[in-house]
Amino acid sequence: MSDAGEEGSYPDAPRIVHPPPGPRSRELLAEQGKWETEAVAYPHYFPIAVASARGATIEDVDGNRFIDWVAGISVLNLGHRHPRLTAALDAQSREVWHALELPTEARVRFLKELQASLPGTLRNHARIFFTVTGGDAIETAVQLADYAQGTHGTVTFSGAYHGVHGGAVRLTSGRKYHSTSPFVGGAVVRVPFPDPYRPVLGADEGAAGTISYLTHLVNDPYSGVDGVSAVLVEPVLGEGGYVVPPPDFLPALREFCDGHGILLIADEVQTGLGRTGKMWGVEHTGVTPDILCLAKTIGGGIPLSVVAYRSDLVQDLPRGFHLGTFRGNPLALAVGTEVLKVLRQGDLLEQTARRGTALIERFRAIGERHPSIGDVRGQGFMIGVEFVKDRASKVAWGERAKALRSALFARGVLMHTCGAWDQVLRFMAPLVIEDELLERGLHAFEDALESLDGTIESRIARPQKGPSSVTDWHPSAGPGLGLPSPPAPPGPHPVAETDADDA
Ligand SMILES: Cc1ncc(COP(=O)(O)O)c(C=O)c1O
């Protein structure tokens, strides 16, 4: 795809020349282990040292090339080193790198481009707050909502992940994050997210169960809830398992908030900036939040996050209401302007929606051949494949998802887990990934799955069994996703059989 820029991805990925971790990676991992805290997580999932990256591919220091379906956890929606972002960074690096909150050309250009990109009634009518990380943006949004409302109390959802900063960790749902945090407690009200696959409040009711529970919480003086200033919601649950709520959920939540004088905060840290096939996750249902948080892709890989809020929400914010040295860094802002322009020009968003739908079908077809897959769902390039011990009981099978992550890694494809039990493998490739790399990744996915649970059904169900590994795979092995101009076919690659060290 030309949107990956002039260079695009390494055309021969996946290429495994030294089963990972190769010798130089091992050396660098050992050095890292000597000097850096043992609390790092990703080197356990993907034990390689990175040499360089292009488009939707990463090369390690041993010359292995990986198809990147992790995208820095949705930071790299435009891929690694998109040429337009590189050019913007280069140009800005010759002007100014740090200017506190003083206006610069880069800052004002970004503000205008972002305003024009916002959803619904926020467009060109928002106020912008710069922050640095996703968690930072979330905390600022909640602080803002409480200030505007003159009260405390935030509703968040089971499965929610909003970061692990002091305040954000209270809003995140996982016990493992709470157990090491001194900041947990306070006015957070947790409500079940309407999960169509694992419903807590009624399977057939769409969002109705959640809304009636919320209504009870705020109306019943004996509900135990003292007050609510805002509802904080991810349009699609991210770390919680790539759960797409029923389509009536966000509109019903908007209506509920309006009816009770409660603010709606959308956490678009993961769903925003094209990930779901629209610029914003909320745009699928036409809902405009009062406050919108974005991070990750907005800096193209440079830390930058933003809170955009209704300009009539509050007018008297005290100077220094929220502080931080690095907010609105000029280098990040220059890149961010280009991120927004690339996303708004051309048809990348439409392509993401169309290819995402085709990919869901492809993963579902694999699921039909593999009973360990209980559910496939998603929106755009945010697709979750959930593993279960058996489809009737839906007992989550995190070990299988993690083993598959390792088997894929050995084949040169990076894919990460999510979900409460790590039972979901999530597809979150850069939106600019070439069709050919999607096909190779899908093939590696099924090949790796077969190596784990090669079922008799899978062999019977496939009229023409594809080649057994990426070494002998060829583009004609499976139906295409209907996109033009694949790069040159790959040469043969030896495939690693070792599993990653999974923490
Ligand atoms: C939906 C969502 N909100 C907030 C965050 C926190 O962002 P950060 O890690 O930049 O603090 C994340 C991180 O994955 C996220 O997925």
Side-chain angles (χ1 to χ4, degrees):
M1 278 179 64
S2 57
D3 271 328
E6 285 155 30
E7 283 192 324
S9 304
Y10 294 117
D12 58 353
R15 181 181 81 176
I16 300 296
V17 289
H18 292 288
R24 184 60 185 144
S25 283
R26 282 179 194 274
E27 281 169 10
L28 291 176
L29 285 160
E31 287 286 319
Q32 180 188 34
K34 230 189 286 172
W35 305 114
E36 203 174 325
T37 170
E38 64 274 30
V40 293
Y42 291 100
H44 296 279
Y45 310 141
F46 310 114
I48 49 167
V50 177
S52 63
R54 264 172 58 174
T57 47
I58 289 178
E59 182 170 301
D60 76 8
V61 289
D62 297 292
N64 297 316
R65 289 180 171 174
F66 295 84
I67 297 177
D68 181 7
W69 280 4
V70 175
I73 314 290
S74 223
V75 166
L76 298 155
N77 286 5
L78 296 183
H80 295 269
R81 295 194 299 112
H82 190 292
R84 281 180 58 183
L85 308 193
T86 305
L89 182 63
D90 276 355
Q92 184 61 38
S93 74
R94 285 169 233 282
E95 291 177 2
V96 58
W97 290 33
H98 182 77
L100 294 170
E101 294 166 318
L102 302 180
T104 57
E105 297 287 354
R107 197 175 189 101
V108 173
R109 264 197 301 268
F110 178 88
L111 285 166
K112 288 184 179 164
E113 193 66 37
L114 178 64
Q115 286 281 356
S117 313
L118 289 172
T121 49
L122 283 178
R123 184 166 308 156
N124 291 320
H125 286 98
R127 288 255 168 208
I128 304 300
F129 228 126
F130 285 118
T131 44
V132 182
T133 67
D136 192 7
I138 297 296
E139 284 192 27
T140 307
V142 170
Q143 187 184 351
L144 194 61
D146 285 359
Y147 185 86
Q149 298 276 68
T151 178
H152 297 288
T154 315
V155 168
T156 78
F157 293 90
S158 51
Y161 183 89
H162 300 292
V164 292
H165 287 241
V169 72
R170 288 170 40 217
L171 306 156
T172 288
S173 62
R175 280 182 209 142
K176 65 181 172 186
Y177 304 110
H178 294 179
S179 66
T180 53
S181 172
F183 302 109
V184 176
V188 174
V189 183
R190 191 86 50 192
V191 172
F193 191 81
D195 178 343
Y197 184 60
R198 295 181 181 280
V200 176
L201 292 175
D204 306 320
E205 296 176 27
T210 303
I211 300 299
S212 74
Y213 186 56
L214 273 168
T215 309
H216 150 75
L217 287 180
V218 298
N219 283 351
D220 184 337
Y222 271 60
S223 73
V225 172
D226 293 330
V228 172
S229 75
V231 173
L232 169 62
V233 66
E234 294 165 78
V236 176
L237 272 194
E239 301 306 299
Y242 277 29
V243 177
V244 185
D248 63 335
F249 175 53
L250 284 179
L253 207 51
R254 177 73 275 180
E255 200 182 319
F256 164 80
C257 286
D258 290 343
H260 293 85
I262 291 170
L263 297 175
L264 182 62
I265 307 173
D267 177 347
E268 294 257 16
V269 168
Q270 193 156 165
T271 50
L273 300 157
R275 176 55 50 195
T276 68
K278 289 194 184 283
M279 184 66 113
W280 309 106
V282 291
E283 286 179 318
H284 289 274
T285 49
V287 163
T288 306
D290 302 295
I291 305 177
L292 178 133
C293 301
L294 58 144
K296 292 195 186 272
T297 279
I298 190 61
I302 305 181
L304 174 68
S305 63
V306 175
V307 178
Y309 61 98
R310 256 179 38 211
S311 53
D312 62 339
L313 201 60
V314 52
Q315 263 94 34
D316 59 346
L317 281 187
R319 190 174 298 162
F321 175 76
H322 188 88
L323 286 173
T325 307
F326 288 112
R327 292 170 306 150
N329 170 270
L331 297 169
L333 292 174
V335 173
T337 304
E338 214 52 33
V339 167
L340 292 166
K341 282 188 174 159
V342 173
L343 286 169
R344 294 179 68 210
Q345 295 161 356
D347 63 351
L348 187 57
L349 298 179
E350 291 76 18
Q351 284 200 38
T352 303
R354 184 165 51 76
R355 293 203 295 170
T357 304
L359 276 165
I360 289 173
E361 289 312 314
R362 296 289 295 279
F363 279 115
R364 283 193 178 140
I366 294 173
E368 276 164 27
R369 300 189 280 270
H370 294 272
S372 56
I373 294 180
D375 191 37
V376 175
R377 68 261 174 165
Q379 218 168 41
F381 269 25
M382 197 169 179
I383 299 171
V385 181
E386 174 150 355
F387 287 84
V388 289
K389 289 193 174 154
D390 86 275
R391 284 182 178 162
S393 68
K394 297 186 184 174
V395 172
W397 201 4
E399 295 318 311
R400 174 46 48 98
K402 288 190 278 188
L404 187 53
R405 178 178 64 198
S406 297
L408 273 169
F409 171 71
R411 286 163 174 75
V413 178
L414 306 183
M415 203 173 181
H416 197 26
T417 56
C418 61
W421 301 275
D422 274 330
Q423 82 280 22
V424 179
L425 266 185
R426 50 175 150 168
F427 170 87
M428 52 179 159
L431 315 183
V432 296
I433 189 172
E434 293 82 352
D435 243 12
E436 178 97 358
L437 297 190
L438 290 176
E439 293 291 349
R440 283 182 219 156
L442 281 168
H443 181 79
F445 184 91
E446 184 151 23
D447 185 55
L449 194 49
E450 284 195 4
S451 76
L452 296 175
D453 67 358
T455 57
I456 292 166
E457 304 95 280
S458 75
R459 279 160 227 287
I460 294 168
R462 295 174 75 182
Q464 282 183 311
K465 189 177 176 305
S468 61
S469 77
V470 288
T471 53
D472 59 353
W473 182 79
H474 185 272
S476 62
L481 289 161
L483 275 191
S485 58
H493 333 294
V495 176
E497 295 301 343
T498 52
D499 271 359
D501 169 23
D502 196 350

